[in-house]
Amino acid sequence: MRRTVRLLSHVNMAAPRALARWGFCDRGWSRLMPGCRLPGFRSCWPGCPLGARLLSQEKRATETHFGFETVSEEEKGGKVYQVFESVAKKYDVMNDMMSLGIHRIWKDLLLWKMRPFPGTQLLDVAGGTGDIAFRFLNYVQAQYRGKQKRQLRAQQNLSWEEIAQKYQNEEDSLGGSHVMVCDINKEMLKIGKQKASAQGYKAGLAWVLGDAEELPFDEDKFDVYTIAFGIRNVTHIDRALQEAHRVLKPGGRFLCLEFSQVNNPLVSRLYDLYSFQVIPVLGEIIAGDWKSYQYLVESIRQFPPQEEFKEMIEDAGFQKVTYESLTSGIVAIHSGFKL
């Protein structure tokens, strides 16, 4: 008995290398030979095939893609940050050049699909330069102005001063609507704030530095969550989708505008030719940055196609998930609800 206790004590206190040499067989503890398997267990020593597979899987789990390059998950965040820090100042110009201006139509369609109403609380993630935010404010203001005009026509007894006051009240012109622009990149936010100031956007707009995978907001806070051309740059897309679900109010809507899979073979060939042969060259000429635009082109090809991304959105808890492909599938708008 003492001998058994001493042996067990030796096994428990031994270094991992010594522990790996012992196993419990039918009649007690005995030394194991390489490749020996324990009854009821699969071999899991590092030197055995399964151990190698587990280590390989663990390695793959910490790796991701940066365009066509394989990098660690920690490394990708820094690389993506550097890309957008580099392109921030020429971001809007390059969007026009790369898409021949069509990105403006895509973003307009996103707003038309959203159909926000006065009082809507919007969170626009990865929206640093403000394109979606400004469209949202314009749309809501137009809706509210239309409603206000109808009400004024119905009230014939208002004085000129009362009518003028209603039109001059900037806060009222949004009907309580508000958009929060959240971006992880300081330079992108800086450009967005400069644009807002130059174009006269003040009321109903706020800017916050934040990570899509760990949003700095409480649960059930927003009516609508949008992310346009940003989610493909996130390291863990599933986490970003879960965060979107968390911060939306019950009944809230998720909307994502992102490059997707072209469904026309001829368009696909032309699109690939333009993407790889022209866009990086434009990046070098206009922004002095070939590599960043090479990454942006490659990142589009790594993003899941429409149906697969739809399933990812559903896995995050959204319901009634649909998508609409635009321009032969070059981009798609995905929609889902928190119910």
Side-chain angles (χ1 to χ4, degrees), residues 290-323:
W290 178 294
K291 289 185 178 179
S292 291
Y293 286 94
Q294 181 71 26
Y295 157 74
L296 293 174
V297 168
E298 293 175 359
S299 68
I300 295 170
R301 272 64 184 180
Q302 297 285 41
F303 192 71
Q306 290 90 322
E307 194 65 30
E308 184 179 339
F309 186 50
K310 174 179 179 287
E311 293 175 0
M312 294 176 71
I313 298 171
E314 291 171 339
D315 290 341
F318 289 100
Q319 299 182 41
K320 297 184 180 297
V321 180
T322 59
Y323 63 85

Side-chain angles (χ1 to χ4, degrees), residues 69-248:
E69 181 184 355
T70 300
V71 298
S72 68
E73 291 180 346
E74 293 79 8
E75 191 179 4
K76 178 174 179 176
K79 282 180 171 288
V80 171
Y81 190 94
Q82 290 173 359
V83 165
F84 286 93
E85 188 176 47
S86 172
V87 305
K89 292 181 180 179
K90 297 290 185 179
Y91 185 76
D92 291 330
V93 175
M94 280 300 299
N95 278 346
D96 283 330
M97 294 298 295
M98 290 190 302
S99 70
L100 305 179
I102 300 176
H103 76 100
R104 297 174 181 270
I105 298 174
W106 295 333
K107 291 168 182 174
D108 288 340
L109 289 172
L110 179 69
L111 261 295
W112 294 338
K113 184 175 272 294
M114 184 195 306
R115 296 184 181 276
F117 50 85
T120 297
Q121 304 300 301
L122 169 66
L123 173 62
D124 182 35
V125 177
T129 58
D131 273 7
I132 302 302
F134 302 154
R135 282 171 168 79
F136 169 80
L137 294 174
N138 291 340
Y139 188 100
V140 171
Q141 191 172 55
Q143 293 292 311
Y144 189 79
R145 291 295 192 198
K147 180 181 177 181
Q148 192 179 50
K149 286 181 180 179
R150 291 190 295 270
Q151 290 176 341
L152 290 173
R153 290 194 189 102
Q155 297 175 348
Q156 300 295 330
N157 298 325
L158 289 177
S159 67
W160 177 84
E161 290 82 5
E162 289 173 322
I163 294 174
Q165 186 178 12
K166 283 183 177 292
Y167 274 98
Q168 291 171 4
N169 192 325
E170 193 175 9
E171 289 290 345
D172 279 349
S173 71
L174 297 173
S177 297
H178 189 272
V179 54
M180 181 75 71
V181 180
C182 179
D183 201 295
I184 198 172
N185 194 287
K186 293 180 181 179
E187 283 300 312
M188 295 290 282
L189 287 174
K190 181 180 177 181
I191 297 299
K193 291 177 183 178
Q194 291 173 352
K195 286 173 59 180
S197 178
Q199 297 177 30
Y201 292 101
K202 295 179 181 178
L205 176 63
W207 309 84
V208 63
L209 188 69
D211 187 347
E213 295 184 26
E214 194 173 353
L215 294 171
F217 307 110
D218 294 333
E219 297 179 2
D220 306 334
K221 185 174 178 64
F222 299 97
D223 298 304
V224 183
Y225 171 112
T226 55
I227 183 165
F229 304 118
I231 201 163
R232 77 180 189 281
N233 299 304
V234 173
T235 303
H236 305 99
I237 295 176
D238 55 341
R239 293 183 194 173
L241 292 172
Q242 290 163 9
E243 279 291 274
H245 190 272
R246 181 183 67 80
V247 301
L248 279 171

Side-chain angles (χ1 to χ4, degrees), residues 266-282:
L266 177 59
V267 174
S268 180
R269 286 194 291 272
L270 294 174
Y271 179 51
D272 283 344
L273 181 65
Y274 180 73
S275 296
F276 289 99
Q277 302 299 323
V278 177
I279 290 178
V281 175
L282 289 175

Side-chain angles (χ1 to χ4, degrees), residues 35-52:
C36 175
R37 296 191 178 187
L38 304 180
F41 294 88
R42 296 179 66 182
S43 172
C44 59
W45 315 125
C48 293
L50 178 61

